[in-house]
Amino acid sequence: MPQNQTDSHANDRVLGDEKRKDKPIRFKAKKNIYWEDWGHMRRVFIAGRVYDGVLHSDGKVTGYSPYFDVDDYVSADEIEIVN
């Protein structure tokens, strides 16, 4: 899984282990989620399925798409955290 690609990943590393609050999570996509890829919209999460992600210290969520081996931010209104 790609790691440390978002600003939130970098910010969590800078905080140091004693202040970090980021943690691995699982989330369910409430709807199909698409990301732009060089001018093309790619479906990276399928509605109703559960995926891996990280809840960062700043409250943002990074989701990992197994279909494209990439991670990026997901909108909180598009997902439901299941653990």
Side-chain angles (χ1 to χ4, degrees):
M1 172 165 129
Q3 296 183 14
N4 308 324
Q5 291 188 0
T6 64
D7 292 338
S8 290
H9 279 114
N11 291 338
D12 283 334
R13 286 195 323 271
V14 171
L15 287 174
D17 290 339
E18 63 281 346
K19 293 184 181 178
R20 285 177 74 160
K21 296 179 184 169
D22 58 320
K23 64 178 184 174
I25 61 164
R26 306 252 315 142
F27 67 89
K28 181 169 33 173
K30 293 180 181 178
K31 62 181 189 173
N32 289 332
I33 300 172
Y34 296 84
W35 290 340
E36 190 273 331
D37 176 29
W38 293 94
H40 301 278
M41 297 305 291
R42 306 284 185 205
R43 184 173 63 178
V44 292
F45 300 110
I46 298 171
R49 293 192 184 172
V50 177
Y51 299 94
D52 293 323
V54 176
L55 176 60
H56 295 284
S57 302
D58 61 8
K60 293 181 181 177
V61 174
T62 299
Y64 169 71
S65 174
Y67 311 113
F68 294 97
D69 194 33
V70 66
D71 59 359
D72 205 346
Y73 295 119
V74 290
S75 176
D77 62 337
E78 296 178 327
I79 65 168
E80 174 186 341
I81 297 174
V82 294
N83 76 336

